[in-house]
Amino acid sequence: MSTSVFVTGEAKAPSNNPITSQFGLFFIAFEIDPDTHRILDAECSATLALTNKFVRGLFTRECITDEGLLTERITTRYHGSSQRALIAALHHAAAKYRSAVGLAAD
């Protein structure tokens, strides 16, 4: 395995969300294997440890390049108030990743 790549994505969270008052924006971070595009680890700017654990489970071992599948997983399984922010942050991070490793945008 080659050296992993670290990317972040950010998005605006709802104004009534504790994430907004604590962090200002919603952030997600991914560690990715550039050979397979698989997510090795993920963490977000959640205020609850359980949220981070759940988000990690949504993404770990999946391909960052499969945004459709990842978006579907979020919409069907994550029903927190930051759902739209999580999707937007995922897309932002995936775009950064594609740029970093020289993949063409879909």
Side-chain angles (χ1 to χ4, degrees):
M1 180 172 102
S2 66
T3 304
S4 61
V5 174
F6 179 83
V7 295
T8 60
E10 53 274 342
K12 188 173 179 177
S15 60
N16 64 341
N17 191 310
I19 291 170
T20 303
S21 57
Q22 187 171 352
F23 300 110
L25 289 173
F26 181 88
F27 292 91
I28 190 156
F30 294 105
E31 180 183 6
I32 303 164
D33 177 344
D35 292 332
T36 63
H37 311 301
R38 296 233 179 255
I39 299 166
L40 303 172
D41 203 358
E43 189 168 347
C44 66
S45 57
T47 56
L48 301 173
L50 180 58
T51 304
N52 253 318
K53 179 181 169 190
F54 189 84
V55 167
R56 181 174 287 118
L58 285 174
F59 295 118
T60 304
R61 294 179 302 281
E62 299 297 338
C63 287
I64 189 73
T65 55
D66 197 349
E67 289 179 71
L69 170 72
L70 296 174
T71 300
E72 182 181 330
R73 291 185 91 181
I74 294 166
T75 57
T76 59
R77 297 186 55 212
Y78 182 91
H79 298 284
S81 61
S82 299
Q83 184 188 66
R84 285 192 286 191
L86 179 56
I87 292 168
L90 162 68
H91 291 305
H92 187 233
K96 280 184 173 178
Y97 175 77
R98 285 191 306 273
S99 177
V101 299
L103 291 177
D106 292 339

